[in-house]
Amino acid sequence: MTSVLAGATMSLDGYIADASHGGFEYLFQWYGSGDVETPTANPDMTMRTSAASARHLREHTERTGALVVGRRLFDMTGGWGGRHPMDVPVVVVTHSVPDGWPRESDSFVFVTDGIESAVDRAKALAGSKDVGVNGGTIAAQVLRAGLLDEVHVDLVPVLLGDGIPLFAELADAPVQLEGPTRVVEGVGVTHLAYRVRRAG
Amino acid sequence: MTSVLAGATMSLDGYIADASHGGFEYLFQWYGSGDVETPTANPDMTMRTSAASARHLREHTERTGALVVGRRLFDMTGGWGGRHPMDVPVVVVTHSVPDGWPRESDSFVFVTDGIESAVDRAKALAGSKDVGVNGGTIAAQVLRAGLLDEVHVDLVPVLLGDGIPLFAELADAPVQLEGPTRVVEGVGVTHLAYRVRRAG
């Protein structure tokens, strides 16, 4: 059965990017904190992590069949050069299809009618695999819609002080999770997984 | 050698209390999440946790020789009824000695000349043991003064959405930590310890 999981690399104080929407040089140090290589669909991007993180990344990649991301991230990465590093189709939640991109391709589907439609579409694309949801406002929207099953956090030992939270503009707080169902100790990162308590 | 450690129970999104300065019913569920009893100096307060958390609590208590807390927490708890549950002397950082309390007793010392003086005083009281520092603005002040050695987080699977951060009004961010040097999996809580990178 397809699970929907929100995942992000997060600072110890709860931010997935700093107040100026950066901080990535601190958050993603663990992508180069070891010597076990994990290739991505982007030939210029190979992760070199601890063995524990590499195993975790491989399992996560194997489980993931599609992603749901916001337009901001799509723009910021320039559409990942045409294909997401995880080599899966990406559903982009947006108000309008960006210039120069078809509404649908093998790599990107632009959904303009809301978060539930985007998650439905991603589930169909993922088949028996899982749907990964981008942190920030998208994660909060999916949580609020009652569609989120798991939260995966790569917890990094840095304090950013301010920034974009894992669930931005979180409504209906407090939200209780269950777990961690999984704890993997990497180098410069702790991988944690939680289950969302689903109402009714 | 005496270490100075900031410690707190923290939500997954980085808060030690919610926006109305409460949320404790979610944060401190783990104090009753198991059946191994840990007594405190307060006869009405016995923790019942998993065996792993009980061991962690006992070690933490044995290591701690004095505490530094802010006036807000002192007032909120009514001076813990006269003695802190950890049964150690508490240095209260304040602008003025509260009515009805002597400036110094075995249980409380009120320090009115700043954070460095408070930490010095707590170190003297702690002897060979460690000094625990309250989360929030006090932790941030101690960090900023370059006096913090460790950060201990009891990470709880709840999203509070807003509130008092572990390091409130954090200056000089980003701050990189090392570790976790310790990961203990309890029930409804993950105990994490980090080292502060000291400049110079």
Side-chain angles (χ1 to χ4, degrees):
Chain A
M1 198 185 121
T2 294
S3 283
V4 179
L5 28 120
T9 290
M10 187 177 89
S11 69
L12 183 60
D13 54 352
Y15 299 109
I16 60 171
D18 74 19
S20 56
H21 299 188
F24 299 121
E25 68 275 32
Y26 299 98
L27 288 169
F28 294 103
Q29 282 182 352
W30 70 273
Y31 278 9
S33 68
D35 53 13
V36 181
E37 296 197 350
T38 303
T40 73
N42 177 348
D44 295 332
M45 185 182 173
T46 296
M47 300 189 236
R48 289 179 185 81
T49 68
S50 65
S53 286
R55 203 161 42 238
H56 176 79
L57 284 166
R58 195 177 57 239
E59 286 170 15
H60 180 63
T61 300
E62 285 169 0
R63 273 184 64 183
T64 304
L67 297 172
V68 177
V69 309
R71 176 65 186 273
R72 193 182 67 81
L73 185 63
F74 175 84
D75 286 346
M76 217 168 71
T77 63
W80 291 276
R83 184 76 177 169
H84 191 279
M86 286 184 82
D87 203 16
V88 293
V90 174
V91 177
V92 182
V93 183
T94 180
H95 293 295
S96 61
V97 179
D99 289 343
W101 296 86
R103 177 171 284 271
E104 302 203 5
S105 70
D106 290 345
S107 291
F108 297 106
V109 174
F110 297 94
V111 166
T112 53
D113 55 350
I115 195 71
E116 286 168 41
S117 170
V119 172
D120 275 352
R121 194 60 202 279
K123 281 183 168 178
L125 289 165
S128 63
K129 294 188 173 185
D130 291 342
V131 169
V133 171
N134 195 212
T137 52
I138 298 293
Q141 285 175 27
V142 175
L143 178 65
R144 183 168 209 186
L147 300 172
L148 196 65
D149 298 300
E150 296 178 39
V151 178
H152 289 216
V153 171
D154 303 315
L155 193 67
V156 168
V158 65
L159 305 169
L160 293 179
D162 193 8
I164 299 179
L166 177 57
F167 291 92
E169 297 157 46
L170 181 69
D172 311 320
V175 176
Q176 289 194 276
L177 307 173
E178 288 172 356
T181 54
R182 194 160 186 216
V183 178
V184 176
E185 296 184 51
V187 172
V189 63
T190 310
H191 308 285
L192 302 166
Y194 297 91
R195 253 194 312 270
V196 178
R197 294 188 187 185
R198 301 288 285 272
Chain B
M1 200 187 120
T2 294
S3 285
V4 179
L5 27 121
T9 290
M10 187 177 88
S11 68
L12 184 59
D13 55 351
Y15 301 109
I16 60 171
D18 74 18
S20 56
H21 299 188
F24 300 123
E25 66 275 34
Y26 299 97
L27 288 169
F28 294 103
Q29 281 182 354
W30 71 273
Y31 278 9
S33 69
D35 53 14
V36 180
E37 296 196 350
T38 303
T40 74
N42 177 348
D44 296 333
M45 185 182 173
T46 295
M47 300 189 234
R48 289 179 184 80
T49 67
S50 66
S53 286
R55 204 161 40 238
H56 175 79
L57 283 167
R58 195 178 58 241
E59 286 169 15
H60 180 63
T61 299
E62 284 169 0
R63 273 184 64 182
T64 303
L67 298 172
V68 177
V69 309
R71 176 64 184 273
R72 194 183 65 81
L73 185 63
F74 176 85
D75 286 346
M76 217 168 71
T77 63
W80 291 276
R83 184 76 177 167
H84 192 278
M86 286 183 82
D87 203 15
V88 293
V90 174
V91 177
V92 183
V93 182
T94 179
H95 293 293
S96 60
V97 179
D99 288 343
W101 296 86
R103 177 171 284 272
E104 302 203 6
S105 70
D106 289 345
S107 291
F108 296 106
V109 174
F110 297 94
V111 166
T112 53
D113 56 350
I115 196 71
E116 285 168 42
S117 169
V119 171
D120 274 351
R121 195 58 202 277
K123 280 183 167 177
L125 289 165
S128 62
K129 294 189 173 184
D130 291 341
V131 169
V133 170
N134 194 212
T137 52
I138 297 293
Q141 286 175 27
V142 175
L143 178 65
R144 182 167 209 188
L147 299 172
L148 196 65
D149 298 299
E150 297 177 38
V151 178
H152 289 216
V153 171
D154 303 315
L155 192 67
V156 168
V158 65
L159 305 169
L160 293 178
D162 193 8
I164 299 178
L166 177 56
F167 292 91
E169 299 155 45
L170 181 68
D172 311 320
V175 175
Q176 289 194 276
L177 307 174
E178 288 171 357
T181 52
R182 198 164 183 210
V183 177
V184 176
E185 296 185 52
V187 172
V189 63
T190 310
H191 308 286
L192 301 166
Y194 297 91
R195 254 193 311 269
V196 178
R197 293 189 190 185
R198 300 288 285 274

